[in-house]
Amino acid sequence: SMFATLKVVGTSTTSAGGGSGSSITTNEKSTASDTGQACIRALTMVIRHCRYYEISKSQLELLVLIAQNNITNEQRQQSTFGLLKSIVERKLVIPKIYDLMVEISQLLFTASRSQVRHTCTQILLSFLVNYPLSQARLEQHLTLIIGNLDFLIEDGRLAGLDMLDTIVNNFPEEVVNE
């Protein structure tokens, strides 16, 4: 299965694709990485379009771990963000997804590419609007966003303002008023 392939290929962020053997040649490592990315893209499509497919908790944990390990790797961000979007759109819940969204909130400010910041905004908004959040968890995200409005890099500050604007325009009015 694709999940078995992902386990074999690994979840590492190294350019080698996560293989653990030191005797693997560069071409084999590259192929492993390509195979892993192809699996991630295929699983993204399954999660997004096959609503009848039930993902087990262990499968979801593996996918979130892979996303967490690859979220800052520019070569893997596109497929990783696609995976995250599909998980969030399906409202698949495990505790680690909440922690990963804190990382997405931080990446919103620190990413050097505007497309990455924009994608973080989309994923985070979908998460904040659609996931069950305690008041404390929602406040944690909002505090992180507001607290970074004085971020050293202007693009980060602008991304934070954009996120706040997006929240105000998309959250239910009673939540915004609180």
Side-chain angles (χ1 to χ4, degrees), residues 1-115:
S1 80
M2 286 185 274
F3 287 103
T5 302
L6 282 173
K7 286 181 184 177
V8 170
V9 171
T11 59
S12 170
T13 60
T14 64
S15 61
S20 59
S22 59
S23 64
I24 298 175
T25 66
T26 303
N27 286 342
E28 288 170 331
K29 290 179 179 179
S30 176
T31 302
S33 178
D34 293 345
T35 303
Q37 292 303 293
C39 285
I40 289 171
R41 287 189 296 274
L43 286 168
T44 298
M45 298 307 287
V46 168
I47 293 167
R48 184 171 289 141
H49 298 291
C50 299
R51 299 281 178 180
Y52 58 86
Y53 180 75
E54 292 294 324
I55 298 169
S56 71
K57 181 180 177 187
S58 63
Q59 291 171 336
L60 186 55
E61 287 172 347
L62 176 63
L63 293 175
V64 170
L65 176 63
I66 289 169
Q68 190 170 26
N69 287 338
N70 289 308
I71 199 72
T72 58
N73 183 320
E74 289 188 9
Q75 295 174 331
R76 297 179 181 186
Q77 276 179 333
Q78 185 175 4
S79 60
T80 301
F81 282 141
L83 175 63
L84 280 176
K85 281 182 179 180
S86 67
I87 289 170
V88 170
E89 286 170 4
R90 281 272 301 263
K91 301 176 188 172
L92 302 174
V93 177
I94 60 169
K96 288 206 178 280
I97 194 78
Y98 290 89
D99 298 332
L100 183 54
M101 288 303 125
V102 172
E103 292 182 43
I104 293 291
S105 297
Q106 294 166 343
L107 189 57
L108 172 74
F109 290 92
T110 61
S112 59
R113 296 184 0 232
S114 64
Q115 182 59 36

